PDB file of all heavy atoms in Angstrom:
ATOM      1  N   VAL A  38     -14.350  30.397  -0.670  1.00  0.00           N
ATOM      2  CA  VAL A  38     -13.603  31.161  -1.696  1.00  0.00           C
ATOM      3  C   VAL A  38     -13.295  30.199  -2.876  1.00  0.00           C
ATOM      4  O   VAL A  38     -13.300  30.620  -4.009  1.00  0.00           O
ATOM      5  CB  VAL A  38     -12.315  31.640  -0.994  1.00  0.00           C
ATOM      6  CG1 VAL A  38     -11.425  32.329  -2.033  1.00  0.00           C
ATOM      7  CG2 VAL A  38     -12.590  32.646   0.057  1.00  0.00           C
ATOM      8  N   GLU A  39     -12.928  28.958  -2.540  1.00  0.00           N
ATOM      9  CA  GLU A  39     -12.607  27.987  -3.560  1.00  0.00           C
ATOM     10  C   GLU A  39     -13.689  26.893  -3.649  1.00  0.00           C
ATOM     11  O   GLU A  39     -14.396  26.604  -2.585  1.00  0.00           O
ATOM     12  CB  GLU A  39     -11.248  27.339  -3.272  1.00  0.00           C
ATOM     13  CG  GLU A  39     -10.118  28.340  -3.355  1.00  0.00           C
ATOM     14  CD  GLU A  39      -8.779  27.656  -3.049  1.00  0.00           C
ATOM     15  OE1 GLU A  39      -8.817  26.542  -2.339  1.00  0.00           O
ATOM     16  OE2 GLU A  39      -7.748  28.035  -3.584  1.00  0.00           O
ATOM     17  N   PHE A  40     -13.767  26.176  -4.796  1.00  0.00           N
ATOM     18  CA  PHE A  40     -14.572  25.007  -4.899  1.00  0.00           C
ATOM     19  C   PHE A  40     -13.671  23.870  -5.423  1.00  0.00           C
ATOM     20  O   PHE A  40     -13.091  23.985  -6.544  1.00  0.00           O
ATOM     21  CB  PHE A  40     -15.744  25.217  -5.842  1.00  0.00           C
ATOM     22  CG  PHE A  40     -16.698  24.009  -5.884  1.00  0.00           C
ATOM     23  CD1 PHE A  40     -17.771  24.030  -5.000  1.00  0.00           C
ATOM     24  CD2 PHE A  40     -16.580  23.035  -6.827  1.00  0.00           C
ATOM     25  CE1 PHE A  40     -18.705  22.892  -5.016  1.00  0.00           C
ATOM     26  CE2 PHE A  40     -17.450  21.936  -6.891  1.00  0.00           C
ATOM     27  CZ  PHE A  40     -18.493  21.919  -5.919  1.00  0.00           C
ATOM     28  N   LYS A  41     -13.516  22.806  -4.688  1.00  0.00           N
ATOM     29  CA  LYS A  41     -12.651  21.742  -4.939  1.00  0.00           C
ATOM     30  C   LYS A  41     -13.310  20.481  -5.454  1.00  0.00           C
ATOM     31  O   LYS A  41     -14.207  19.945  -4.721  1.00  0.00           O
ATOM     32  CB  LYS A  41     -11.656  21.469  -3.846  1.00  0.00           C
ATOM     33  CG  LYS A  41     -10.800  22.634  -3.531  1.00  0.00           C
ATOM     34  CD  LYS A  41      -9.796  22.343  -2.430  1.00  0.00           C
ATOM     35  CE  LYS A  41     -10.431  22.225  -1.039  1.00  0.00           C
ATOM     36  NZ  LYS A  41      -9.468  22.051   0.051  1.00  0.00           N
ATOM     37  N   ILE A  42     -12.911  19.957  -6.599  1.00  0.00           N
ATOM     38  CA  ILE A  42     -13.497  18.727  -7.122  1.00  0.00           C
ATOM     39  C   ILE A  42     -12.341  17.632  -7.132  1.00  0.00           C
ATOM     40  O   ILE A  42     -11.258  17.900  -7.768  1.00  0.00           O
ATOM     41  CB  ILE A  42     -13.974  18.884  -8.568  1.00  0.00           C
ATOM     42  CG1 ILE A  42     -15.008  19.975  -8.678  1.00  0.00           C
ATOM     43  CG2 ILE A  42     -14.518  17.526  -9.114  1.00  0.00           C
ATOM     44  CD1 ILE A  42     -15.452  20.378 -10.078  1.00  0.00           C
ATOM     45  N   LEU A  43     -12.551  16.626  -6.456  1.00  0.00           N
ATOM     46  CA  LEU A  43     -11.580  15.532  -6.484  1.00  0.00           C
ATOM     47  C   LEU A  43     -11.927  14.488  -7.406  1.00  0.00           C
ATOM     48  O   LEU A  43     -13.094  13.939  -7.431  1.00  0.00           O
ATOM     49  CB  LEU A  43     -11.517  14.829  -5.087  1.00  0.00           C
ATOM     50  CG  LEU A  43     -10.635  13.606  -4.891  1.00  0.00           C
ATOM     51  CD1 LEU A  43      -9.204  13.999  -5.184  1.00  0.00           C
ATOM     52  CD2 LEU A  43     -10.755  13.041  -3.529  1.00  0.00           C
ATOM     53  N   VAL A  44     -11.097  14.210  -8.408  1.00  0.00           N
ATOM     54  CA  VAL A  44     -11.354  13.274  -9.478  1.00  0.00           C
ATOM     55  C   VAL A  44     -10.657  11.870  -9.034  1.00  0.00           C
ATOM     56  O   VAL A  44      -9.473  11.867  -8.882  1.00  0.00           O
ATOM     57  CB  VAL A  44     -10.834  13.729 -10.817  1.00  0.00           C
ATOM     58  CG1 VAL A  44     -11.083  12.631 -11.961  1.00  0.00           C
ATOM     59  CG2 VAL A  44     -11.392  15.062 -11.217  1.00  0.00           C
ATOM     60  N   VAL A  45     -11.465  10.938  -8.922  1.00  0.00           N
ATOM     61  CA  VAL A  45     -11.037   9.550  -8.703  1.00  0.00           C
ATOM     62  C   VAL A  45     -11.067   8.657  -9.958  1.00  0.00           C
ATOM     63  O   VAL A  45     -12.151   8.604 -10.597  1.00  0.00           O
ATOM     64  CB  VAL A  45     -11.885   8.914  -7.521  1.00  0.00           C
ATOM     65  CG1 VAL A  45     -11.515   7.436  -7.296  1.00  0.00           C
ATOM     66  CG2 VAL A  45     -11.664   9.694  -6.197  1.00  0.00           C
ATOM     67  N   ALA A  46     -10.038   7.929 -10.226  1.00  0.00           N
ATOM     68  CA  ALA A  46      -9.980   7.295 -11.542  1.00  0.00           C
ATOM     69  C   ALA A  46      -9.587   5.816 -11.438  1.00  0.00           C
ATOM     70  O   ALA A  46      -8.642   5.462 -10.672  1.00  0.00           O
ATOM     71  CB  ALA A  46      -8.920   8.007 -12.468  1.00  0.00           C
ATOM     72  N   ASP A  47     -10.369   4.967 -12.101  1.00  0.00           N
ATOM     73  CA  ASP A  47     -10.081   3.561 -12.256  1.00  0.00           C
ATOM     74  C   ASP A  47      -9.715   2.809 -10.926  1.00  0.00           C
ATOM     75  O   ASP A  47      -8.636   2.153 -10.898  1.00  0.00           O
ATOM     76  CB  ASP A  47      -8.831   3.479 -13.251  1.00  0.00           C
ATOM     77  CG  ASP A  47      -9.216   3.945 -14.651  1.00  0.00           C
ATOM     78  OD1 ASP A  47      -9.687   3.205 -15.490  1.00  0.00           O
ATOM     79  OD2 ASP A  47      -9.036   5.173 -14.841  1.00  0.00           O
ATOM     80  N   THR A  48     -10.592   2.928  -9.968  1.00  0.00           N
ATOM     81  CA  THR A  48     -10.320   2.136  -8.804  1.00  0.00           C
ATOM     82  C   THR A  48     -10.362   0.676  -9.015  1.00  0.00           C
ATOM     83  O   THR A  48      -9.695  -0.088  -8.320  1.00  0.00           O
ATOM     84  CB  THR A  48     -11.389   2.534  -7.727  1.00  0.00           C
ATOM     85  OG1 THR A  48     -12.725   2.512  -8.302  1.00  0.00           O
ATOM     86  CG2 THR A  48     -11.151   3.921  -7.138  1.00  0.00           C
ATOM     87  N   GLN A  49     -11.162   0.263  -9.938  1.00  0.00           N
ATOM     88  CA  GLN A  49     -11.332  -1.158 -10.303  1.00  0.00           C
ATOM     89  C   GLN A  49     -11.273  -2.143  -9.241  1.00  0.00           C
ATOM     90  O   GLN A  49     -10.509  -3.150  -9.168  1.00  0.00           O
ATOM     91  CB  GLN A  49     -10.150  -1.497 -11.305  1.00  0.00           C
ATOM     92  CG  GLN A  49     -10.590  -1.171 -12.792  1.00  0.00           C
ATOM     93  CD  GLN A  49      -9.693  -1.735 -13.849  1.00  0.00           C
ATOM     94  OE1 GLN A  49      -9.156  -0.969 -14.574  1.00  0.00           O
ATOM     95  NE2 GLN A  49      -9.522  -3.035 -14.015  1.00  0.00           N
ATOM     96  N   LEU A  50     -12.119  -1.936  -8.227  1.00  0.00           N
ATOM     97  CA  LEU A  50     -12.240  -2.841  -7.152  1.00  0.00           C
ATOM     98  C   LEU A  50     -12.701  -4.227  -7.635  1.00  0.00           C
ATOM     99  O   LEU A  50     -13.643  -4.299  -8.500  1.00  0.00           O
ATOM    100  CB  LEU A  50     -13.344  -2.278  -6.129  1.00  0.00           C
ATOM    101  CG  LEU A  50     -12.938  -0.969  -5.567  1.00  0.00           C
ATOM    102  CD1 LEU A  50     -14.144  -0.185  -4.963  1.00  0.00           C
ATOM    103  CD2 LEU A  50     -11.804  -1.030  -4.460  1.00  0.00           C
ATOM    104  N   TRP A  51     -12.141  -5.293  -7.086  1.00  0.00           N
ATOM    105  CA  TRP A  51     -12.405  -6.577  -7.668  1.00  0.00           C
ATOM    106  C   TRP A  51     -12.405  -7.731  -6.624  1.00  0.00           C
ATOM    107  O   TRP A  51     -12.681  -7.416  -5.484  1.00  0.00           O
ATOM    108  CB  TRP A  51     -11.506  -6.877  -8.831  1.00  0.00           C
ATOM    109  CG  TRP A  51     -10.021  -6.953  -8.588  1.00  0.00           C
ATOM    110  CD1 TRP A  51      -9.339  -6.338  -7.637  1.00  0.00           C
ATOM    111  CD2 TRP A  51      -9.120  -7.901  -9.245  1.00  0.00           C
ATOM    112  NE1 TRP A  51      -7.992  -6.754  -7.650  1.00  0.00           N
ATOM    113  CE2 TRP A  51      -7.908  -7.729  -8.642  1.00  0.00           C
ATOM    114  CE3 TRP A  51      -9.261  -8.862 -10.246  1.00  0.00           C
ATOM    115  CZ2 TRP A  51      -6.728  -8.416  -9.033  1.00  0.00           C
ATOM    116  CZ3 TRP A  51      -8.157  -9.593 -10.604  1.00  0.00           C
ATOM    117  CH2 TRP A  51      -6.852  -9.356 -10.011  1.00  0.00           C
ATOM    118  N   THR A  52     -11.956  -8.844  -6.992  1.00  0.00           N
ATOM    119  CA  THR A  52     -11.984  -9.970  -6.002  1.00  0.00           C
ATOM    120  C   THR A  52     -10.846  -9.948  -4.983  1.00  0.00           C
ATOM    121  O   THR A  52     -11.034 -10.692  -3.966  1.00  0.00           O
ATOM    122  CB  THR A  52     -11.863 -11.315  -6.824  1.00  0.00           C
ATOM    123  OG1 THR A  52     -10.689 -11.225  -7.690  1.00  0.00           O
ATOM    124  CG2 THR A  52     -13.077 -11.555  -7.720  1.00  0.00           C
ATOM    125  N   ASP A  53      -9.833  -9.227  -5.234  1.00  0.00           N
ATOM    126  CA  ASP A  53      -8.749  -9.215  -4.209  1.00  0.00           C
ATOM    127  C   ASP A  53      -9.046  -8.202  -3.107  1.00  0.00           C
ATOM    128  O   ASP A  53      -8.966  -7.006  -3.229  1.00  0.00           O
ATOM    129  CB  ASP A  53      -7.486  -8.835  -4.898  1.00  0.00           C
ATOM    130  CG  ASP A  53      -6.261  -9.034  -3.953  1.00  0.00           C
ATOM    131  OD1 ASP A  53      -6.300  -8.789  -2.743  1.00  0.00           O
ATOM    132  OD2 ASP A  53      -5.116  -9.430  -4.482  1.00  0.00           O
ATOM    133  N   GLN A  54      -9.611  -8.682  -1.969  1.00  0.00           N
ATOM    134  CA  GLN A  54     -10.005  -7.843  -0.882  1.00  0.00           C
ATOM    135  C   GLN A  54      -8.831  -7.097  -0.245  1.00  0.00           C
ATOM    136  O   GLN A  54      -9.036  -5.976   0.308  1.00  0.00           O
ATOM    137  CB  GLN A  54     -10.762  -8.635   0.246  1.00  0.00           C
ATOM    138  CG  GLN A  54     -12.018  -9.332  -0.325  1.00  0.00           C
ATOM    139  CD  GLN A  54     -12.963  -8.432  -1.002  1.00  0.00           C
ATOM    140  OE1 GLN A  54     -13.286  -7.382  -0.499  1.00  0.00           O
ATOM    141  NE2 GLN A  54     -13.425  -8.746  -2.214  1.00  0.00           N
ATOM    142  N   ILE A  55      -7.597  -7.584  -0.304  1.00  0.00           N
ATOM    143  CA  ILE A  55      -6.472  -6.853   0.251  1.00  0.00           C
ATOM    144  C   ILE A  55      -6.258  -5.561  -0.605  1.00  0.00           C
ATOM    145  O   ILE A  55      -5.946  -4.527  -0.028  1.00  0.00           O
ATOM    146  CB  ILE A  55      -5.260  -7.778   0.269  1.00  0.00           C
ATOM    147  CG1 ILE A  55      -5.458  -8.934   1.307  1.00  0.00           C
ATOM    148  CG2 ILE A  55      -4.008  -7.023   0.663  1.00  0.00           C
ATOM    149  CD1 ILE A  55      -4.362  -9.886   1.198  1.00  0.00           C
ATOM    150  N   GLU A  56      -6.233  -5.820  -1.888  1.00  0.00           N
ATOM    151  CA  GLU A  56      -6.041  -4.547  -2.785  1.00  0.00           C
ATOM    152  C   GLU A  56      -7.214  -3.604  -2.618  1.00  0.00           C
ATOM    153  O   GLU A  56      -7.024  -2.365  -2.718  1.00  0.00           O
ATOM    154  CB  GLU A  56      -5.934  -5.023  -4.235  1.00  0.00           C
ATOM    155  CG  GLU A  56      -4.607  -5.759  -4.506  1.00  0.00           C
ATOM    156  CD  GLU A  56      -4.579  -6.214  -5.988  1.00  0.00           C
ATOM    157  OE1 GLU A  56      -5.349  -5.606  -6.783  1.00  0.00           O
ATOM    158  OE2 GLU A  56      -3.834  -7.179  -6.270  1.00  0.00           O
ATOM    159  N   ASN A  57      -8.443  -4.119  -2.536  1.00  0.00           N
ATOM    160  CA  ASN A  57      -9.592  -3.279  -2.287  1.00  0.00           C
ATOM    161  C   ASN A  57      -9.412  -2.415  -1.028  1.00  0.00           C
ATOM    162  O   ASN A  57      -9.723  -1.202  -1.022  1.00  0.00           O
ATOM    163  CB  ASN A  57     -10.861  -4.063  -2.192  1.00  0.00           C
ATOM    164  CG  ASN A  57     -11.306  -4.727  -3.531  1.00  0.00           C
ATOM    165  OD1 ASN A  57     -10.633  -4.457  -4.568  1.00  0.00           O
ATOM    166  ND2 ASN A  57     -12.281  -5.525  -3.538  1.00  0.00           N
ATOM    167  N   LYS A  58      -8.949  -3.018   0.007  1.00  0.00           N
ATOM    168  CA  LYS A  58      -8.696  -2.347   1.284  1.00  0.00           C
ATOM    169  C   LYS A  58      -7.651  -1.196   1.128  1.00  0.00           C
ATOM    170  O   LYS A  58      -7.861  -0.051   1.616  1.00  0.00           O
ATOM    171  CB  LYS A  58      -8.271  -3.333   2.381  1.00  0.00           C
ATOM    172  CG  LYS A  58      -8.076  -2.710   3.765  1.00  0.00           C
ATOM    173  CD  LYS A  58      -7.803  -3.805   4.789  1.00  0.00           C
ATOM    174  CE  LYS A  58      -7.699  -3.253   6.154  1.00  0.00           C
ATOM    175  NZ  LYS A  58      -6.437  -2.349   6.340  1.00  0.00           N
ATOM    176  N   LYS A  59      -6.616  -1.507   0.372  1.00  0.00           N
ATOM    177  CA  LYS A  59      -5.627  -0.461   0.158  1.00  0.00           C
ATOM    178  C   LYS A  59      -6.165   0.641  -0.647  1.00  0.00           C
ATOM    179  O   LYS A  59      -5.801   1.816  -0.462  1.00  0.00           O
ATOM    180  CB  LYS A  59      -4.431  -1.100  -0.568  1.00  0.00           C
ATOM    181  CG  LYS A  59      -3.600  -2.043   0.274  1.00  0.00           C
ATOM    182  CD  LYS A  59      -2.419  -2.683  -0.622  1.00  0.00           C
ATOM    183  CE  LYS A  59      -1.663  -3.651   0.201  1.00  0.00           C
ATOM    184  NZ  LYS A  59      -0.575  -4.274  -0.624  1.00  0.00           N
ATOM    185  N   CYS A  60      -7.041   0.359  -1.581  1.00  0.00           N
ATOM    186  CA  CYS A  60      -7.674   1.396  -2.345  1.00  0.00           C
ATOM    187  C   CYS A  60      -8.534   2.296  -1.568  1.00  0.00           C
ATOM    188  O   CYS A  60      -8.467   3.541  -1.648  1.00  0.00           O
ATOM    189  CB  CYS A  60      -8.533   0.790  -3.556  1.00  0.00           C
ATOM    190  SG  CYS A  60      -9.261   1.928  -4.653  1.00  0.00           S
ATOM    191  N   TYR A  61      -9.352   1.695  -0.669  1.00  0.00           N
ATOM    192  CA  TYR A  61     -10.198   2.461   0.201  1.00  0.00           C
ATOM    193  C   TYR A  61      -9.365   3.399   1.109  1.00  0.00           C
ATOM    194  O   TYR A  61      -9.704   4.584   1.386  1.00  0.00           O
ATOM    195  CB  TYR A  61     -11.096   1.573   1.015  1.00  0.00           C
ATOM    196  CG  TYR A  61     -12.248   1.041   0.216  1.00  0.00           C
ATOM    197  CD1 TYR A  61     -12.645  -0.300   0.382  1.00  0.00           C
ATOM    198  CD2 TYR A  61     -12.984   1.844  -0.676  1.00  0.00           C
ATOM    199  CE1 TYR A  61     -13.701  -0.790  -0.343  1.00  0.00           C
ATOM    200  CE2 TYR A  61     -14.047   1.331  -1.394  1.00  0.00           C
ATOM    201  CZ  TYR A  61     -14.467  -0.017  -1.254  1.00  0.00           C
ATOM    202  OH  TYR A  61     -15.502  -0.531  -1.940  1.00  0.00           O
ATOM    203  N   GLU A  62      -8.241   2.854   1.552  1.00  0.00           N
ATOM    204  CA  GLU A  62      -7.322   3.599   2.517  1.00  0.00           C
ATOM    205  C   GLU A  62      -6.800   4.834   1.686  1.00  0.00           C
ATOM    206  O   GLU A  62      -6.638   5.899   2.241  1.00  0.00           O
ATOM    207  CB  GLU A  62      -6.221   2.756   2.997  1.00  0.00           C
ATOM    208  CG  GLU A  62      -6.708   1.701   3.964  1.00  0.00           C
ATOM    209  CD  GLU A  62      -5.672   0.670   4.444  1.00  0.00           C
ATOM    210  OE1 GLU A  62      -4.606   0.648   3.679  1.00  0.00           O
ATOM    211  OE2 GLU A  62      -5.879  -0.059   5.370  1.00  0.00           O
ATOM    212  N   GLU A  63      -6.424   4.543   0.433  1.00  0.00           N
ATOM    213  CA  GLU A  63      -5.948   5.650  -0.422  1.00  0.00           C
ATOM    214  C   GLU A  63      -7.021   6.711  -0.613  1.00  0.00           C
ATOM    215  O   GLU A  63      -6.727   7.890  -0.614  1.00  0.00           O
ATOM    216  CB  GLU A  63      -5.413   5.046  -1.776  1.00  0.00           C
ATOM    217  CG  GLU A  63      -4.688   6.096  -2.635  1.00  0.00           C
ATOM    218  CD  GLU A  63      -3.847   5.440  -3.697  1.00  0.00           C
ATOM    219  OE1 GLU A  63      -2.903   4.678  -3.404  1.00  0.00           O
ATOM    220  OE2 GLU A  63      -4.184   5.656  -4.882  1.00  0.00           O
TER     221      GLU A  63
END
């Protein structure tokens, strides 16, 4: 009935693996 598009913005994955992990979890 619906079509849903999820927009992901500015994840900016970089050298900080802890932050990258948090981003993936989000």
Side-chain angles (χ1 to χ4, degrees):
V38 175
E39 297 180 330
F40 187 90
K41 294 184 289 186
I42 303 169
L43 175 62
V44 181
V45 172
D47 297 271
T48 48
Q49 271 190 244
L50 300 161
W51 67 323
T52 52
D53 191 322
Q54 299 305 311
I55 294 176
E56 289 178 22
N57 290 355
K58 184 174 182 293
K59 289 179 180 177
C60 182
Y61 284 139
E62 289 172 349
E63 189 163 295

